[in-house]
């Protein structure tokens, strides 16, 4: 690992000139922060618009031969105001006019969307006095539009070898034919992780408007504590169960390289934030949990058949029905003569009766019962491993609240416990479990 920090700043961190000033102070407070990845300007308040959304709208209107002047003028004013407030003068108006011209003459949706990051990168590099390196020089996609990790690593190594400090816009790269290509989601997060891996950084900082990931959804648990540490595996479990955390695509490069990620708050830089660590790091928090997440609106199809286990084709037939109906199954808890299929309502999508009838015909069960309006709650944490009493604490908390548990499943890794409950008990269950571990 090199003594380098790669720092990505999100849209809220770079929404206006005041935020730019905060970002500059943060960067200059640690000389290891050498490569900076900016997002496009985000919302300044609830009534404001994200620049990327406005640029998408401009391209859409242009594609239908409609005027987009009014929308583009909002974009233009936003960037010119930031430059004016920061006393920067480097021909921003000409650059904005050139981009407008390209959109008017049929530039792609990806090109238009990427210009928010591009323009913010130009402003930030001028403001910091760092070299500006366009992401299209570094981030490469193949001709099918798939990210080319090997070619990108080679480019990053070669291009940044003699560059001590640089600003590299997030969210986009380039195809072999020169066309701009954006990442599908978490774009700037992915760029930051790619650069961190490419330079083998000591740390990847992801600066946003919250002081790390919270243990539980703040809309359910007010004043939820932030997670101090979370591993990549724990993060994956929480993300899968609906928690607002970094998407897996956004962390795969750093996970691969074993580089820790620190989620930090631009508006409260003194806060420790959440540290995302390698899965092989020692467990330092036994006896507790890392986080709680969950999702509503599942249906359970409970199937009973005597001597189910001795019917070698039973499970294959059952999964064939799911596959031919294009349905993913979330969980399959089972006992000696029964199995339950837990399926998201969005997956079933009015296919329930058809699926039940096919199971009757193809699998010949003794009975099938459907339970709608189910929710799943996942209690996640490596600290649960080899620790007695965690499950008891969870179930006692639910019992005290009078919450009926309909299903329990836990993998052999002991990384999480998943509990099935009624939709109506969802919020109370999360609050009860959270309180039990405080």
């Amino acid at each position: 690992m090199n003594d380098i920090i790669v720092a990505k700043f999100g849209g809220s961190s770079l929404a206006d000139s005041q935020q730019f000033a905060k970002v500059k102070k943060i960067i200059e407070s640690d000389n290891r922060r050498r490569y900076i990845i900016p997002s496009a300007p985000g919302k300044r308040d609830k009534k404001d618009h994200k620049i990327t959304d406005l640029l998408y709208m401009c391209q859409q209107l242009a594609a239908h031969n409609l005027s987009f002047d009014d929308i583009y003028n909002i974009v233009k004013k936003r960037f010119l105001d930031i430059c004016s407030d920061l006393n920067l003068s480097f021909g921003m108006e000409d650059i904005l006019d050139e981009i407008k011209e390209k959109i008017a003459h049929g530039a792609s949706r990806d090109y238009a969307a990427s210009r928010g990051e591009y323009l913010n990168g130009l402003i930030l590099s001028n403001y910091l006095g760092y070299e500006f390196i366009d992401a299209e020089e570094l981030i490469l996609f193949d001709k099918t539009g798939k990210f080319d990790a090997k070619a990108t690593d080679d480019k990053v190594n070669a291009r940044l070898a003699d560059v001590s400090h640089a600003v590299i816009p997030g969210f986009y790269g380039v195809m072999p034919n020169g066309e701009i290509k954006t990442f599908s989601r978490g774009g700037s997060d992915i760029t930051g992780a790619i650069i961190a891996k490419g330079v083998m950084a000591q740390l990847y900082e992801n600066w946003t408007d919250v002081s790390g990931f919270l243990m539980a959804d703040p809309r359910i648990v007010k004043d939820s504590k932030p997670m101090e540490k979370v591993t990549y595996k724990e993060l994956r479990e929480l993300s899968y169960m609906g928690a607002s955390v970094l998407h897996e695509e956004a962390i795969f490069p750093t996970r691969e390289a074993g580089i820790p990620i620190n989620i930090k708050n631009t508006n409260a830089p003194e806060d420790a934030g959440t540290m995302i660590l390698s899965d092989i790091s020692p467990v330092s928090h036994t006896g507790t949990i890392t986080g709680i997440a969950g999702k509503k609106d599942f249906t359970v199809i409970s199937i009973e058949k005597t001597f189910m286990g001795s019917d070698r084709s039973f499970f294959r037939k059952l999964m064939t029905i799911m596959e031919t109906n294009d349905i993913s199954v979330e969980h399959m808890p089972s006992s000696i003569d029964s199995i339950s299929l837990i399926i998201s309502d969005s997956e079933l999508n009015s296919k329930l009766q058809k699926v039940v009838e096919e199971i009757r015909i193809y699998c010949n069960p003794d009975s099938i019962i459907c339970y709608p309006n189910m929710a799943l709650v996942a209690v996640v944490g490596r600290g649960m491993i080899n620790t007695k009493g965690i499950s008891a604490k969870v179930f006692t908390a639910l019992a005290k609240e009078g919450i009926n548990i309909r299903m329990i499943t836990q993998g052999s890794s002991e990384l999480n416990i998943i509990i099935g409950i009624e939709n109506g008990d969802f919020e109370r269950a999360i609050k009860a479990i959270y309180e039990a571990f405080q």
Side-chain angles (χ1 to χ4, degrees):
M1 297 282 177
N2 295 311
D3 196 22
I4 295 169
I5 294 174
V6 172
K8 174 259 173 181
F9 290 90
S12 59
S13 300
L14 293 167
D16 58 28
S17 58
Q18 288 179 311
Q19 291 299 102
F20 267 81
K22 290 179 189 175
V23 166
K24 183 176 185 179
K25 192 174 177 183
I26 288 166
I27 293 166
E28 292 180 345
S29 69
D30 191 330
N31 58 18
R32 293 176 299 161
R33 293 188 179 112
R34 289 173 47 191
Y35 303 112
I36 313 301
I37 317 298
S39 294
K43 292 183 179 183
R44 293 163 292 188
D45 54 60
K46 286 182 180 177
K47 293 181 180 178
D48 202 9
H49 305 286
K50 292 180 179 179
I51 286 294
T52 304
D53 292 341
L54 296 174
L55 288 166
Y56 272 132
M57 196 181 295
C58 288
Q59 191 276 334
Q60 192 174 324
L61 290 166
H64 289 84
N65 296 315
L66 297 169
S67 172
F68 61 94
D69 289 0
D70 291 348
I71 306 295
Y72 196 78
N73 285 340
I74 298 170
V75 174
K76 186 173 180 177
K77 183 178 187 307
R78 184 87 169 269
F79 283 110
L80 292 177
D81 283 352
I82 292 171
C83 289
S84 173
D85 291 346
L86 299 176
N87 296 313
L88 299 175
S89 179
F90 60 91
M92 175 57 89
E93 191 156 6
D94 291 341
I95 296 166
L96 282 158
D97 289 344
E98 185 184 332
I99 290 168
K100 183 183 179 185
E101 194 70 16
K102 286 185 177 178
I103 293 172
H105 286 87
S108 71
R109 181 176 164 83
D110 281 19
Y111 171 84
S114 71
R115 294 306 87 183
E117 278 76 9
Y118 172 78
L119 292 164
N120 245 12
L122 287 173
I123 294 172
L124 191 58
S125 66
N126 276 272
Y127 187 44
L128 295 171
Y130 285 14
E131 183 174 340
F132 175 79
I133 299 178
D134 197 335
E136 63 178 276
E137 288 186 53
L138 302 176
I139 310 296
L140 305 178
F141 293 84
D142 65 22
K143 61 184 180 183
T144 67
K146 185 181 175 186
F147 171 63
D148 190 334
K150 175 69 171 66
T152 296
D153 277 349
D154 292 345
K155 274 279 188 183
V156 169
N157 279 321
R159 181 70 177 86
L160 298 183
D162 300 317
V163 178
S164 63
H165 296 78
V167 172
I168 303 155
F171 187 38
Y172 69 94
V174 71
M175 305 260 284
N177 63 2
E179 275 190 37
I180 294 294
K181 171 76 179 163
T182 58
F183 288 106
S184 58
R185 57 189 295 174
S188 296
D189 294 328
I190 300 173
T191 306
I194 290 165
I195 300 301
K197 178 177 181 265
V199 299
M200 285 308 291
Q202 184 182 46
L203 179 66
Y204 170 36
E205 290 179 336
N206 195 304
W207 292 84
T208 177
D209 56 1
V210 291
S211 297
F213 301 137
L214 300 177
M215 281 184 69
D217 188 335
R219 293 168 297 185
I220 299 172
V221 178
K222 287 178 182 173
D223 302 319
S224 173
K225 290 180 182 174
M227 305 176 206
E228 289 178 24
K229 295 175 183 175
V230 60
T231 65
Y232 287 108
K233 275 186 181 174
E234 289 171 318
L235 199 68
R236 179 169 160 72
E237 293 285 349
L238 290 163
S239 173
Y240 177 69
M241 288 302 291
S244 297
V245 292
L246 282 180
H247 189 261
E248 189 182 358
E249 285 178 13
I251 58 174
F252 75 86
T254 45
R255 178 176 186 169
E256 204 175 85
I259 298 167
I261 303 174
N262 198 2
I263 310 298
K264 298 274 283 178
N265 189 346
T266 304
N267 302 314
E270 67 285 350
D271 290 355
T274 297
M275 190 70 81
I276 305 171
L277 301 166
S278 164
D279 299 316
I280 59 171
S281 59
V283 178
S284 59
H285 49 290
T286 54
T288 187
I289 61 172
T290 299
I292 311 157
K295 293 190 279 193
K296 287 183 176 181
D297 301 321
F298 290 88
T299 293
V300 177
I301 303 174
S302 181
I303 303 155
E304 287 193 16
K305 184 174 183 177
T306 308
F307 303 120
M308 179 188 290
S310 61
D311 181 352
R312 290 187 178 87
S313 65
F314 183 85
F315 297 104
R316 174 181 56 78
K317 288 175 180 176
L318 196 57
M319 288 301 98
T320 299
I321 292 167
M322 296 301 116
E323 185 181 352
T324 54
N325 281 284
D326 196 27
I327 292 171
S328 294
V329 179
E330 297 277 334
H331 296 280
M332 290 191 298
S334 63
S335 64
I336 190 166
D337 287 329
S338 70
I339 185 166
S340 294
L341 305 181
I342 299 164
I343 304 166
S344 170
D345 290 350
S346 61
E347 284 283 328
L348 271 176
N349 195 21
S350 76
K351 299 174 189 172
L352 180 59
Q353 292 309 316
K354 180 176 182 286
V355 166
V356 167
E357 191 57 31
E358 287 179 15
I359 294 171
R360 284 192 207 282
I361 295 166
Y362 203 34
C363 300
N364 193 29
D366 297 335
S367 73
I368 304 175
I369 303 172
C370 298
Y371 301 98
N373 305 315
M374 290 276 289
L376 297 181
V377 173
V379 183
V380 176
R382 287 201 311 160
M384 300 193 300
I385 296 171
N386 300 325
T387 305
K388 295 179 178 70
I390 295 284
S391 299
K393 216 171 188 178
V394 171
F395 302 142
T396 301
L398 296 176
K400 281 181 180 175
E401 280 293 311
I403 294 168
N404 185 31
I405 298 171
R406 302 286 297 275
M407 180 213 80
I408 303 161
T409 179
Q410 182 176 28
S412 59
S413 67
E414 295 189 60
L415 188 66
N416 68 356
I417 302 167
I418 294 175
I419 302 147
I421 54 173
E422 298 278 352
N423 268 347
D425 292 329
F426 181 72
E427 286 81 5
R428 285 195 305 129
I430 287 180
K431 280 181 190 170
I433 296 166
Y434 177 84
E435 291 299 331
F437 286 91
Q438 298 313 303

